[in-house]
Amino acid sequence: MPEQLMWEPDVSRGEWLRPMESEPFASILSVVPRGFEAYARIFHTVERDRPRATGTWHGVEEESLFAGVTDIDAALETRRSTWAEVAAAFGTTMHSEAQFARLVGLGEWDRSGVVAPDGWRYETPPEGTCDPDSFNAAARVLARHTTTPSAGVAAVWEGWGGLMSSAGFATYTAEMPDPTTDDRGLRSAVRAAGTRLRATLRRALTRVRWATTDRIALFHRDPEPGTGLLSREIASGPTFALHGGTGRTYVLFQAGADDFTDPAWGDRAPWVRPGWSPQTPSMVWPDDHAWFLATEIDWDSTLVAGSAGLVRELVETPGLEVLAIDPDARLTSDGDTINPAPETETA
């Protein structure tokens, strides 16, 4: 079995990224470096579901749908969807600067699923992590566009719960009511809540994010480094910080694009909890700096900077939803100027 990816204590390997700190924070060029020939945006996959019995959520109450249901997976049809399919379902316009909330008519802070005219319920795409299939497909392309496919750096945000210490991570168990109980409402409510939790787990959003600069004190004292997934040596070692004061601090690992072409790469990643959907790195770059990939912790898409040939191949790769993007474009919540904001936002 291949060995685990090695920790990289030499944080000077990230110093070439310092010019990004002079760019406006949360701009594209503060997330990927200036100076590359082309830029691309990889859109994170969307989960959607609908009742198998009706084929639509319209006219269906979730509580009544799951009353008496013991196999939720059998009751719900689930699929993955592209942003372009989402836009088609809601009658909006897909483009390189699209914001998911604008595509589906959600308010900026509304994170719940929304039902489209086609009867499917669409969940918001995951933030801060690329779905494993898309990441794996992108890695295969990236490996062909560097002279050092087996050598590079993967930077993982230290703020993922349970990574550096046990802070920010918890396990939850839910016990179903006695199946003989007459409280039908209680049974159906728990089942409905379980369905939403299943969807959340599928998107790997149960990881609790916390920022060291602004977090709720859940403990009287912070747990010791090394009580989380990473060893004490790694958790207590040097970290690489970008955009000082924003909590963007990363642990570096030795990893080339080739390491991520294996669908089972998560088994070798020290930052991935066994049995969980793998948390993709926040940043990846090869030793020759031929390209740069970044998934900003608060964004629902991944950016790639590289050659025109690389971007063209990413756009044309089956199974990836990618559009070329201008590095001066805006990916803020109001950056989508083509699709209108919900009335509650403009009022």
Side-chain angles (χ1 to χ4, degrees):
M1 180 177 177
E3 296 181 355
Q4 276 203 330
L5 300 178
M6 297 295 294
W7 172 49
E8 176 53 83
D10 181 8
V11 296
S12 68
R13 295 183 69 177
E15 287 301 311
W16 72 287
L17 302 174
R18 289 291 171 212
M20 290 198 299
E21 294 179 320
S22 63
E23 303 288 348
F25 183 64
S27 66
I28 287 178
L29 292 174
S30 72
V31 177
V32 291
R34 181 183 291 276
F36 283 88
E37 185 179 16
Y39 295 79
R41 183 182 179 193
I42 302 173
F43 296 86
H44 296 174
T45 302
V46 179
E47 296 277 354
R48 62 176 177 169
D49 63 39
R50 65 182 179 183
R52 294 185 185 276
T54 62
T56 180
W57 276 109
H58 293 299
V60 177
E61 292 184 0
E62 189 173 54
E63 182 175 317
S64 60
L65 174 69
F66 295 113
V69 172
T70 57
D71 188 346
I72 292 175
D73 289 333
L76 275 184
E77 178 183 4
T78 60
R79 291 185 188 176
R80 289 184 173 182
S81 181
T82 65
W83 288 41
E85 290 170 336
V86 171
F90 284 88
T92 48
T93 301
M94 179 58 181
H95 60 105
S96 63
E97 296 174 65
Q99 290 295 307
F100 189 81
R102 294 284 179 97
L103 290 182
V104 301
L106 286 174
E108 180 180 353
W109 303 109
D110 191 348
R111 311 309 293 169
S112 60
V114 60
V115 178
D118 63 5
W120 287 91
R121 178 173 59 187
Y122 293 83
E123 298 293 338
T124 56
E127 296 178 349
T129 187
C130 187
D131 59 276
D133 291 342
S134 295
F135 186 73
N136 186 240
R140 291 195 294 271
V141 176
L142 292 167
R144 293 193 288 270
H145 289 265
T146 170
T147 61
T148 58
S150 60
V153 173
V156 179
W157 184 50
E158 71 166 10
W160 297 117
L163 185 65
M164 306 293 273
S165 73
S166 59
F169 180 82
T171 21
Y172 296 87
T173 58
E175 184 175 332
M176 288 294 292
D178 184 338
T180 62
T181 180
D182 291 330
D183 193 339
R184 174 179 172 181
L186 176 60
R187 293 201 312 269
S188 60
V190 171
R191 290 192 181 97
T195 302
R196 309 303 290 164
L197 181 58
R198 283 172 185 263
T200 301
L201 289 171
R202 282 196 301 269
R203 299 193 310 273
L205 293 180
T206 50
R207 284 183 288 266
V208 180
R209 296 189 304 173
W210 57 284
T212 57
T213 54
D214 183 19
R215 66 180 184 273
I216 300 174
L218 298 178
F219 304 91
H220 293 295
R221 136 183 2 174
D222 289 338
E224 291 292 325
T227 56
L229 276 176
L230 299 181
S231 68
R232 180 180 296 274
E233 179 187 20
I234 298 175
S236 302
T239 53
F240 177 68
L242 270 178
H243 305 292
T246 67
R248 269 67 178 177
T249 303
Y250 307 91
V251 183
L252 305 187
F253 295 88
Q254 300 171 19
D258 279 347
D259 289 304
F260 299 113
T261 60
D262 179 2
W265 66 265
D267 296 339
R268 302 176 55 213
W271 65 88
V272 174
R273 192 170 296 275
W276 288 63
S277 178
Q279 167 67 50
T280 55
S282 304
M283 300 182 291
V284 181
W285 66 86
D287 276 0
D288 66 0
H289 298 179
W291 47 258
F292 185 84
L293 176 146
T295 305
E296 156 58 30
I297 61 175
D298 289 327
W299 287 5
D300 52 16
S301 54
T302 292
L303 296 178
V304 176
S307 68
L310 166 61
V311 169
R312 183 167 55 251
E313 188 173 349
L314 285 171
V315 171
E316 296 173 353
T317 298
L320 277 179
E321 186 175 26
V322 183
L323 291 175
I325 192 168
D326 190 309
D328 293 320
R330 294 174 58 214
L331 292 183
T332 54
S333 59
D334 60 349
D336 185 346
T337 58
I338 295 178
N339 297 296
E343 293 183 6
T344 53
E345 283 190 14
T346 58

